[in-house]
Amino acid sequence: VQSTCLVCLAGLQAMAGQFEHARSLLARGRAISEELGFRVWQAGFSLLASDIAMLRDDAAGSESELRRGYQALEGMGERGLLSMVVGELARAVYAQERYDEAAQLAEESERVAGTADVRSQITWRAIQGKILARKNEFARAEACARQALGIAEQTDDLNSQGRALMDLAEVLELASRPDEATQVVERALEL
């Protein structure tokens, strides 16, 4: 319980811009988890570590965290968290403008995601939408991004909703619809 609380607090501190404190809390939470031998938790914590890195605009750091989590989950044969980790890995790779690799990772997330795995369902669709927009397939891109948003809006996860809105805004911007993109960004900022 203490490990999980520390890691969750790390995420909140990062959202508040307190990155050094966030890293310290994350390290303490991970140390407890490691001491207890909770390997699945350790791998799962890569998701929050990735979120912290992305808040710092460190997509390469996010990728590094997620690749460690991915390898650990693959090594254990753990599939429950894998689709989330792969989806977020697609997001980190996309942020580094490696679009073909991001597309492959989004497809992998789609393959391993269960229908109840909401975060994965949102993420792979959002990444797929942005990649389609970069290929000038704007109708399909917008449909994917709006599906991701629709799923996110069925949850109480404001972060997922905000991310899905920002992903949709990027699709709209790429489609040369800046006024609509601005409105979507404003909705995201309200959340």
Side-chain angles (χ1 to χ4, degrees), residues 99-173:
Y99 303 125
D100 290 339
E101 185 180 354
Q104 292 171 348
L105 290 164
E107 288 172 13
E108 182 178 351
S109 179
E110 179 183 7
R111 275 194 310 275
V112 297
T115 56
D117 183 356
V118 175
R119 182 171 177 175
S120 299
Q121 294 293 332
I122 296 165
T123 303
W124 71 256
R125 281 179 174 85
I127 299 302
Q128 185 179 64
K130 294 194 303 185
I131 290 167
L132 288 168
R134 291 199 174 273
K135 294 178 179 179
N136 298 322
E137 296 182 39
F138 300 119
R140 288 180 57 209
E142 184 177 352
C144 285
R146 288 197 184 277
Q147 286 174 351
L149 177 58
I151 295 168
E153 288 178 334
Q154 294 174 22
T155 73
D156 62 356
D157 184 348
L158 298 180
N159 289 329
S160 289
Q161 291 175 29
R163 258 192 303 269
L165 284 164
M166 293 302 292
D167 292 331
L168 174 59
E170 183 174 342
V171 167
L172 293 169
E173 184 70 32

Side-chain angles (χ1 to χ4, degrees), residues 30 43 46 49 61 63-73 85:
R30 280 181 154 170
S46 69
E63 177 185 1
S64 177
E65 290 285 355
L66 291 163
R67 289 209 183 271
R68 277 196 297 272
Y70 178 88
Q71 290 170 352
L73 292 168
V85 170

